[in-house]
Amino acid sequence: MSKLFSPLQIKELTLSSRLVMPPMATGKSNEDGTPTEALIDYYEDKTKNEKIGLVITEHAYVAKEGIASKGQLSLADDSVIEGLKKLTTAIHNNHTTVFAQLSHAGGAAEASLFNLPSIGPSLTPLPRRKNMAQKEMDEEDIQRIIKAFSESAKRAIEAGYDGVEIHSAHGYLLNQFYSPLSNKRLDTYGGTLDNRIRLHLEIIKAVRNAVGDNVPIALRLGACDYMDGGSSLEDAISAAKKFEEAGIDLLDISGGHNGYMIPGHTEEGYFSPVTKEIKQAVQIPVILTGGIVTAAGAEKLLEENAADLIGAGRIILKDSSWPIKAFETLR
């Protein structure tokens, strides 16, 4: 059996394969953040091959001032639970495990979609973006955001998700705290790496309390910014260790303020130099995404111990039959 299509245990869950469909925004949700029939059909189509071990659905905002874009999924209030049950049922009917991704856009929020000031760690222009937070978060904001993440996690489990992923990548709120490019705070949430991930650790603790000990919690980390003065590989390794100690069960590695790309790199698994180092530093499984479009490439990265799971996003977006084709290729 190929490694890509071998099972993997995460807490009490057994994934049927190491192939992951990572979160990719579709813009197919209703105005209130509930899933449309089109969105449910989309995930049903992507998982009907029954070869994907884990789907992490597109990022869902935990609070209205954290909306990143029109048509985004919501976990911000109880009204979304019934619609999300239909979504998770469609995926489970295809014998596929599914996690929800919990997100807050912070200073990168789309302000035109809500009547609240956007918030962030600092009043600092965000790299690659024209916008910035309109309000630096105070202690009341921080406690409200921690509560929003924990309550959203609880809703996700009520809606039938098997686990949750905390989004700290691609220049969104928690990534803004993690990166020294966007976190210019002078209090206990800024400065050193320990301070810059303090909010992460508080959210992890609150989410764990909300979902219980048996539910897997993943964290998507924008490990490096690939910009002068940005987050580094050393930051990522140190943070990964601390997230594991705090109770994270799965690390999903991507980019920081440069998004899901690395300038000048298109090779399969271009984040592998980072995931290899992180995998050596932690005991929990690590997901590698980025440019993976062939079954052979995915298998090679697993054989080289670059990661424990492979996220193949754009190729699955382009071709719903790719997972079964990959299975047949490696069989």
Side-chain angles (χ1 to χ4, degrees):
M1 178 187 290
S2 70
K3 195 161 186 179
L4 183 62
F5 291 100
S6 65
L8 180 73
Q9 191 83 15
I10 301 177
K11 277 196 175 294
E12 296 181 359
L13 283 178
T14 301
L15 305 185
S16 62
S17 78
R18 312 296 184 99
L19 179 60
V20 178
M21 179 178 167
M24 295 176 286
T26 65
K28 293 180 183 292
S29 295
N30 289 308
E31 193 172 327
D32 62 357
T34 54
T36 59
E37 288 300 319
L39 185 65
I40 294 168
D41 290 346
Y42 164 83
Y43 281 103
E44 196 282 328
D45 177 62
K46 296 302 176 189
T47 57
K48 65 185 178 184
N49 55 76
E50 300 188 5
K51 296 302 178 188
I52 299 173
L54 172 63
V55 168
I56 306 172
T57 54
E58 57 205 82
H59 64 168
Y61 58 87
V62 300
K64 285 188 176 179
E65 87 277 359
I67 298 173
S69 57
K70 188 176 181 180
Q72 187 181 356
L73 206 58
S74 171
L75 273 164
D77 60 69
D78 291 348
S79 67
V80 303
I81 293 173
E82 289 306 311
L84 289 172
K85 283 181 179 178
K86 296 177 183 178
L87 176 59
T88 58
T89 297
I91 296 170
H92 285 148
N93 284 345
N94 287 333
H95 304 100
T96 304
T97 301
V98 58
F99 284 14
Q101 190 184 62
L102 315 178
S103 180
H104 191 297
E110 183 52 68
S112 65
L113 298 176
F114 53 88
N115 294 315
L116 298 165
S118 59
I119 60 174
S122 307
L123 300 182
T124 305
L126 299 175
R128 295 195 318 118
R129 300 179 187 269
K130 296 177 182 178
N131 50 342
M132 60 183 279
Q134 297 165 310
K135 179 179 187 286
E136 182 171 304
M137 290 170 63
D138 58 23
E139 182 63 30
E140 183 179 335
D141 294 319
I142 286 170
Q143 294 306 315
R144 179 169 52 80
I145 293 304
I146 294 169
K147 185 178 180 183
F149 270 91
S150 66
E151 290 182 346
S152 293
K154 187 175 181 181
R155 288 184 195 106
I157 302 308
E158 288 179 18
Y161 282 95
D162 301 296
V164 296
E165 178 174 87
I166 297 166
H167 196 0
S168 178
H170 306 162
Y172 291 129
L173 179 67
L174 292 182
N175 198 205
Q176 291 163 23
F177 270 87
Y178 168 73
S179 172
L181 292 173
S182 45
N183 187 343
K184 304 296 184 183
R185 298 176 73 94
L186 301 177
D187 63 1
T188 56
Y189 291 94
T192 65
L193 177 67
D194 282 351
N195 282 355
R196 300 197 315 270
I197 64 169
R198 186 181 303 276
L199 180 56
H200 296 70
L201 301 181
E202 291 174 348
I203 286 172
I204 292 166
K205 181 179 179 180
V207 168
R208 176 59 71 202
N209 288 338
V211 302
D213 292 336
N214 296 327
V215 172
I217 303 174
L219 186 140
R220 190 167 216 193
L221 179 64
C224 303
D225 287 322
Y226 304 99
M227 298 178 183
D228 290 343
S231 53
S232 66
L233 177 59
E234 291 71 25
D235 289 336
I237 293 168
S238 180
K241 291 178 181 178
K242 293 177 187 299
F243 295 151
E244 180 181 29
E245 290 170 8
I248 287 297
D249 303 298
L250 174 65
L251 282 167
D252 182 1
I253 303 304
S254 190
H257 279 298
N258 254 313
Y260 54 81
M261 303 294 292
I262 303 176
H265 288 264
T266 57
E267 70 274 14
E268 288 194 281
Y270 43 73
F271 289 119
S272 61
V274 180
T275 59
K276 281 181 180 179
E277 295 286 343
I278 289 175
K279 183 169 161 49
Q280 290 179 9
V282 299
Q283 301 299 312
I284 55 177
V286 175
I287 303 174
L288 168 61
T289 60
I292 299 163
V293 294
T294 67
E299 188 75 8
K300 184 171 183 283
L301 289 162
L302 290 173
E303 292 291 348
E304 292 174 348
N305 288 318
D308 302 281
L309 300 108
I310 297 294
R314 303 294 147 179
I315 191 66
I316 293 175
L317 181 65
K318 181 180 177 181
D319 181 5
S320 297
S321 65
W322 186 85
I324 194 73
K325 292 175 183 175
F327 176 76
E328 294 294 339
T329 298
L330 296 173
R331 191 162 64 168

